[in-house]
Amino acid sequence: ARRGVAPIEIDPWGLAEHGVGFLRGPSRDETHGGFREWVSLNGSPVGDAREVKRTQTQAFAMRALVEVHLVTGRSDVLDAAMEAFDRIETHMRDAEHGGWFDEASEGWEMTDAGRVKRAETHLAVLEALTALAKVRPTGRVTDALAHAGEVCRGRFFPLQPGQAVRMVGADWSALPDRLEHGPVSYGLYASGARAIAAGESALGSQVDIEAMATRLRVATGPLRDGLVMGGVPLMGYAGRAPMASPRAWWTQAEVATALVEAIVMEPSLEAEFGPLLSGVLAWIDGPQPDAANGALIGAVDEAGTVAWGTIAGPGKRGMLEVRAKSAAAKRDGRPASRSAAVGVRSETGSR
């Protein structure tokens, strides 16, 4: 809604108001604070083992509230976002080892399952803090944002993909049943590239365009290296054929969006990333939708046949359409150059 693009059958303003009502109503835990992970169809707590507080869920809620505040100016919604921030910082940030724990009990007691650090969780925290810092740049908020960026750059989305981790222990050690440095999720790496750059910009720092481009080269590696004929697969190791080759709808959306952000920030990247972007958008418009009803197939293989029988629901379809339309709008109206405006730096030294 804030970006002015949405599928025509969706009322973004009505959905936003409905979402705020849900977050501040059935989803809110009035006893312990924060947002419930699950509620029943009638809006009541499920009252079982699913009653946990996941950091990723709290961050999603915080970001949603900030986005509504940006379009409505409602101070009460921003106050709710700040309350979510306080809960995350108080209960889920690891003061000893850095980063954020993954999960706590309903009453915010740490669980065994929650004593891990996950890339998806830290990405959600980084994106939520980036949004919050734009409207409430307090010292605590900017400190948390700077830390989230540092962790994502160094641990989850390093410039050397062979050093990346997806899930580790609380002290950053490898988990017993997982490889320390597993395969790269291409969609997640694209999201990380975009989110890290956005966080740097929100802090008023110089955006490291070259580092963003390096991460996007990882995210688009199979396409760049000619290892696949179309679309971006799920995951694999740099320079090797993908381990998981289905093309998930969300992977295409995240890669396309990140490529556009990079081109907008540095138009000289058009020559390198423009053809890759066109290929991903063509895949989104071609094999990914179900020809019978237009709904996005969860994943298709390289031949365009169904790999997973799951169909993305209306909300997910809308997210992808919004991302694709945002991408097209930004490409059509991108400025001659933003490098001077946002500042350019390098994680390995000056460019």
Side-chain angles (χ1 to χ4, degrees), residues 52-105:
V52 297
K53 299 286 169 58
R54 293 182 62 218
T55 305
Q56 186 176 22
T57 301
Q58 308 302 310
F60 282 157
M62 179 171 70
R63 184 181 179 188
L65 291 166
V66 172
E67 291 289 342
V68 172
H69 166 74
L70 286 170
V71 295
T72 65
R74 287 175 53 179
S75 60
D76 61 322
V77 174
L78 180 57
D79 289 342
M82 285 299 298
E83 181 181 346
F85 166 73
D86 288 336
R87 296 289 181 183
I88 293 173
E89 286 297 284
T90 300
H91 298 291
M92 306 307 291
R93 186 165 172 178
D94 184 349
E96 181 179 0
H97 300 106
W100 284 263
F101 295 114
D102 205 57
E103 178 185 299
S105 71

Side-chain angles (χ1 to χ4, degrees), residues 43-350:
S44 60
V46 294
D48 60 19
R50 291 174 292 176
E51 290 281 17
V52 297
K53 299 286 169 58
R54 293 182 62 218
T55 305
Q56 186 176 22
T57 301
Q58 308 302 310
F60 282 157
M62 179 171 70
R63 184 181 179 188
L65 291 166
V66 172
E67 291 289 342
V68 172
H69 166 74
L70 286 170
V71 295
T72 65
R74 287 175 53 179
S75 60
D76 61 322
V77 174
L78 180 57
D79 289 342
M82 285 299 298
E83 181 181 346
F85 166 73
D86 288 336
R87 296 289 181 183
I88 293 173
E89 286 297 284
T90 300
H91 298 291
M92 306 307 291
R93 186 165 172 178
D94 184 349
E96 181 179 0
H97 300 106
W100 284 263
F101 295 114
D102 205 57
E103 178 185 299
S105 71
E106 180 183 16
W108 298 104
E109 291 87 12
M110 190 53 54
T111 65
D112 290 339
R115 294 183 187 278
V116 296
K117 309 282 174 64
R118 286 196 310 131
E120 292 90 337
T121 298
H122 285 75
L123 179 61
V125 169
L126 174 60
E127 292 185 315
L129 291 172
T130 295
L132 186 61
K134 294 177 181 178
V135 293
R136 190 64 69 82
T138 67
R140 287 185 70 214
V141 170
T142 56
D143 170 76
L145 174 55
H147 180 62
E150 178 184 3
V151 170
C152 284
R153 283 191 298 269
R155 299 283 187 175
F156 297 113
F157 310 105
L159 298 183
Q160 299 296 328
Q163 299 174 2
V165 297
R166 183 80 176 267
M167 185 168 74
V168 292
D171 61 355
W172 303 104
S173 61
L175 296 175
D177 57 344
R178 294 179 67 95
L179 292 173
E180 182 176 6
H181 303 295
V184 167
S185 165
Y186 298 117
L188 198 62
Y189 234 83
S191 300
R194 177 175 53 82
I196 289 169
E200 291 169 346
S201 179
L203 286 170
S205 305
Q206 291 183 320
V207 176
D208 192 338
I209 298 295
E210 183 55 38
M212 183 182 189
T214 297
R215 293 184 176 97
L216 286 177
R217 292 177 189 119
V218 174
T220 58
L223 277 177
R224 293 168 53 86
D225 298 339
L227 299 174
V228 297
M229 298 303 294
V232 181
L234 278 173
M235 63 181 65
Y237 290 95
R240 303 185 200 172
M243 292 179 59
S245 60
R247 277 62 161 172
W249 67 269
W250 73 268
T251 302
Q252 316 312 309
E254 296 297 349
V255 171
T257 303
L259 287 172
V260 170
E261 294 286 349
I263 293 171
V264 169
M265 287 186 178
E266 183 50 71
S268 66
L269 293 173
E270 171 79 38
E272 178 181 358
F273 290 141
L276 296 173
L277 173 61
S278 297
V280 175
L281 293 177
W283 188 272
I284 291 172
D285 291 334
Q288 204 77 43
D290 187 330
N293 56 26
L296 291 170
I297 300 169
V300 296
D301 62 21
E302 192 168 54
T305 56
V306 176
W308 301 339
T310 304
I311 302 295
K316 293 182 177 180
R317 183 173 75 248
M319 169 204 161
L320 181 54
E321 290 175 358
V322 168
R323 287 196 184 282
K325 289 181 179 180
S326 297
K330 284 187 175 181
R331 291 195 77 202
D332 292 342
R334 63 180 181 271
S337 175
R338 286 186 58 199
S339 295
V342 302
V344 177
R345 67 175 181 85
S346 170
E347 289 179 23
T348 57
S350 58

